[in-house]
Amino acid sequence: MDAFETRTIKRLILRFRGETLFARGLIFVEGVTEEQLIRGMFQAYFGDDPSAFGISIVGVDGKSYAPFLMLALSLHKPFCVISDNDGDAKHVVLKQLSETERRLHCSAKDYHSGVYFLSPGLAIEGELVYKTGLKRKILDALTLCTSSKISAKAKRLQHERFSSMTPRELKRRLEKRKAEYSGFLGDIIAQNPYDQSIENLLPRAILQAFEQICVWLKRQPLKF
């Protein structure tokens, strides 16, 4: 590793993510939005918080996965990357992985690891709106984002307004409220108040990643 890479690992990992050194396995995602959502999805699938299984979810603040991949592969830790699939995301992430594997003379598959992409052309908000059965939960999360000072009637009217949005409008609304809605939605998914099946709650790529994590934990994946 060169000086820049060492400095990057110190800045991005050792300062705030020291637990990754001791984790049983790692889930790498783009940022805080995905961290909060996938934590809730993990709880819905496995029945407990990732930390209970020694799993750390790490937001890389963009698409700079390389230092995290370097750390995981160097320490022989299993990992999953769960990535958006819009723009050039797939090319960028796979290139970083292949270059890291080449430098370390190993393969992610050697450690039951891999990269899982959302549906082609979609980032996380598009995936939630178009590819899951989460609409009611999304509406509830957006309503919870509103100020607690407004009346119950105003909240009800706002919920009705959200309900009348087209899928495209709903996606845009989520994109504008990234840091706010994701925490609420993650909690709602974990609680699953409408008793939906896991298959309807989770995007396909995340289900596939969780099946890989079942291998780490030596447990059977859920059957649908």
Side-chain angles (χ1 to χ4, degrees):
M1 295 172 62
D2 60 30
F4 175 78
E5 291 169 325
T6 303
R7 190 163 59 250
T8 300
I9 284 180
K10 287 181 178 179
R11 178 172 59 85
L12 296 179
I13 300 174
L14 299 185
R15 282 182 66 201
F16 303 114
R17 298 290 188 179
E19 76 277 5
T20 60
L21 299 177
F22 308 98
R24 186 176 182 179
L26 301 163
I27 303 174
F28 297 134
V29 296
E30 285 196 12
V32 174
T33 298
E34 291 81 6
E35 279 188 64
Q36 296 186 110
L37 289 171
I38 290 173
R39 183 174 299 279
M41 292 175 180
F42 189 102
Q43 290 176 296
Y45 189 99
F46 290 98
D48 210 336
D49 190 82
S51 60
F53 298 92
I55 306 296
S56 289
I57 302 176
V58 182
V60 306
D61 294 327
K63 294 182 177 64
S64 299
Y65 289 96
F68 299 90
L69 297 173
M70 175 74 73
L71 185 72
L73 286 170
S74 296
L75 297 179
H76 302 174
K77 287 187 181 293
F79 66 87
C80 288
V81 175
I82 299 174
S83 171
D84 289 348
N85 200 359
D86 57 337
D88 64 348
K90 189 169 187 176
H91 171 76
V92 169
V93 176
L94 290 179
K95 183 178 180 181
Q96 291 180 66
L97 177 60
S98 64
E99 289 180 350
T100 305
E101 289 175 326
R102 178 180 54 79
R103 291 180 62 187
L104 295 177
H105 306 289
C106 66
S107 169
K109 293 180 180 179
D110 296 338
Y111 308 111
H112 303 293
S113 302
V115 183
Y116 302 88
F117 293 97
L118 301 181
S119 301
L122 296 180
I124 187 64
E125 285 76 25
E127 187 79 18
L128 295 174
V129 171
Y130 296 118
K131 299 294 183 178
T132 70
L134 287 170
K135 184 174 180 179
R136 285 189 294 176
K137 292 178 171 64
I138 291 170
L139 298 177
D140 290 346
L142 286 173
T143 302
L144 288 169
C145 289
T146 60
S147 171
S148 59
K149 295 180 181 179
I150 68 173
S151 67
K153 180 180 179 180
K155 281 194 174 184
R156 186 176 67 254
L157 291 173
Q158 191 165 54
H159 192 281
E160 291 174 359
R161 183 167 60 85
F162 292 147
S163 299
S164 67
M165 288 181 172
T166 66
R168 187 176 182 182
E169 290 171 336
L170 193 58
K171 180 177 79 73
R172 287 180 176 175
R173 185 73 181 185
L174 291 178
E175 289 168 347
K176 290 179 180 179
R177 306 296 293 270
K178 272 181 174 289
E180 299 166 85
Y181 88 82
S182 56
F184 289 118
L185 184 55
D187 289 343
I188 293 169
I189 291 171
Q191 295 160 11
N192 195 10
Y194 303 116
D195 197 28
Q196 290 177 268
S197 69
I198 296 298
E199 189 176 19
N200 286 330
L201 286 177
L202 276 56
R204 180 170 178 78
I206 294 173
L207 284 171
Q208 292 173 334
F210 287 173
E211 288 171 3
Q212 180 64 73
I213 291 171
C214 285
V215 175
W216 309 349
L217 302 179
K218 294 180 171 61
R219 57 186 287 170
Q220 288 296 316
L222 298 181
K223 294 182 178 180
F224 307 111

